[in-house]
Amino acid sequence: MSVKIGNIDLGEFPLLLAPMEDVSDPPFRFVCKQNGVDMMYTEFISSEGLIRDAAKSKQKLDIFEYERPIGIQIFGSDIDTMREATEIASLAGPDLIDINYGCPVKNVACRGAGASLLQDIDKMTAMTKAVVESTHLPVTVKTRLGWDDNTKNVYEVAERLQDVGIQALSIHGRTRSQMYKGQADWTMIRDIKRNPRIEIPVFGNGDVDSIEKAAAWRMEYEVDGIMIGRASIGYPWIFRELKHFFQTGERLAGPSITERVETCRIHLQKSIQWKGPKTGIFEMRRHYANYFKGIPHFKEYRMKLVKLDNIADIEEVLSEIESNFANLEVIY
């Protein structure tokens, strides 16, 4: 059976790209889409930034036809501001609006947004209702298990947010106080999925970094799909490999050095097209080490790449990597 969010058909067991600040921008989304991801989200966008017409927030609204289905993710601490931001985001033409109730970082959570709302479920419910009522699009939510070990309240969150109209829920298997430490615990995600009152799709997120884990957790935790974040950084092929395994039961060979270089080049080109040469080249620097993880002595190449600001020079170094390591089999 297909998983649906409103009228969006995501297929039998969708793989989602998690919204990640400074990562899941259009250039990165392009290479993930090429590798078979079923659904993507923008980086999270400040509701305050949107209503103040801040350039950085507005640019994050950029979406492209080839990315569909795609959701715009917004966050904020004020209900009226979130309502207004929802209207602005809806005009950008996404397929859905997603609310971030999971971001644990200080400058978000300590300002009453993101995971902070897990401390005030009444406000979270009221905010969600306001967002649902402000758009014609499906609304989804991404959240965590709770604020800390003493307040794991996602069970109540799931019921109440479904009651005010959300159409899917993604759950990261950690509390806010855990940040990204320790192991993600998916048992509560399974409990929510087994709750007879919950009818919306439930997606699991956190620590899915291998085919074996994804396949095991798909069965063990009974989720409708998996959302992948950090494991896709520098390795967009994870979506392709998981799809192949789910369809055939066989492992797909990992990308060759040539394919890594080619994908890195495409990412760089898209980055330049979207942000212009100066910013595009600068923002690409955070990705090189991830694309070439496992290559011996890569540090010297990375040091070169992060200093260069000329496209031709960067291309030359990438070609050098390709020719020097063409026969290397990298175990990621």
Side-chain angles (χ1 to χ4, degrees), residues 77-94:
S77 59
D78 180 79
I79 293 173
D80 288 335
T81 305
M82 284 289 280
R83 187 183 283 120
E84 204 176 326
T86 301
E87 292 169 2
I88 296 166
S90 299
L91 291 173

Side-chain angles (χ1 to χ4, degrees), residues 58-84:
K58 296 288 274 192
Q59 189 175 37
K60 287 182 184 176
L61 291 173
D62 286 356
I63 52 177
F64 300 89
E65 282 304 309
Y66 64 77
E67 298 182 298
R68 296 190 185 281
I70 186 161
I72 287 177
Q73 191 189 68
I74 57 174
F75 73 96
S77 59
D78 180 79
I79 293 173
D80 288 335
T81 305
M82 284 289 280
R83 187 183 283 120
E84 204 176 326

Side-chain angles (χ1 to χ4, degrees), residues 3-167:
V3 174
K4 289 189 173 179
I5 301 175
N7 293 322
I8 307 164
D9 189 334
L10 296 177
E12 191 183 335
F13 187 79
L15 301 175
L16 289 67
L17 174 67
M20 293 177 283
E21 178 69 350
D22 292 329
V23 177
S24 56
D25 58 9
F28 182 69
R29 297 199 301 261
F30 183 87
V31 296
C32 289
K33 192 69 177 180
Q34 283 191 312
N35 282 283
V37 68
D38 294 299
M39 170 92 184
M40 302 189 290
Y41 300 83
T42 61
E43 299 168 83
F44 73 165
I45 306 175
S46 160
S47 55
E48 294 280 348
L50 279 185
I51 69 166
R52 288 200 316 269
D53 212 24
K56 190 178 179 189
S57 297
K58 296 288 274 192
Q59 189 175 37
K60 287 182 184 176
L61 291 173
D62 286 356
I63 52 177
F64 300 89
E65 282 304 309
Y66 64 77
E67 298 182 298
R68 296 190 185 281
I70 186 161
I72 287 177
Q73 191 189 68
I74 57 174
F75 73 96
S77 59
D78 180 79
I79 293 173
D80 288 335
T81 305
M82 284 289 280
R83 187 183 283 120
E84 204 176 326
T86 301
E87 292 169 2
I88 296 166
S90 299
L91 291 173
D95 297 287
L96 59 83
I97 300 293
D98 188 76
I99 310 172
N100 182 309
Y101 291 137
C103 180
V105 300
K106 258 187 186 168
N107 66 355
V108 173
C110 294
R111 289 182 184 170
S116 176
L117 274 301
L118 285 161
Q119 298 175 103
D120 189 346
I121 300 181
D122 288 346
K123 183 178 178 182
M124 181 195 273
T125 305
M127 183 179 283
T128 305
K129 186 171 189 284
V131 169
V132 169
E133 289 171 353
S134 302
T135 183
H136 62 289
L137 298 167
V139 173
T140 62
V141 160
K142 182 164 191 273
T143 190
R144 289 185 168 232
L145 302 179
W147 180 255
D148 56 28
D149 283 344
N150 301 316
T151 55
K152 288 185 178 176
N153 49 15
V154 71
Y155 202 78
E156 180 188 350
V157 165
E159 288 192 353
R160 291 185 64 179
L161 298 193
Q162 178 182 266
D163 289 349
V164 294
I166 70 164
Q167 296 193 38

Side-chain angles (χ1 to χ4, degrees), residues 102 118 142-146 149 152 154 170-190 192 202-208 217 221 223 227 230:
L118 285 161
K142 182 164 191 273
T143 190
R144 289 185 168 232
L145 302 179
D149 283 344
K152 288 185 178 176
V154 71
S170 300
I171 305 167
H172 183 105
R174 287 182 174 87
T175 61
R176 186 270 167 177
S177 63
Q178 278 182 277
M179 301 295 283
Y180 294 98
K181 298 187 182 95
Q183 284 187 310
D185 176 9
W186 285 41
T187 52
M188 284 187 79
I189 304 175
R190 180 177 56 205
I192 288 164
V202 175
F203 304 117
N205 173 233
D207 290 355
V208 177
W217 289 10
Y221 297 112
V223 289
M227 179 180 277
R230 288 174 292 169

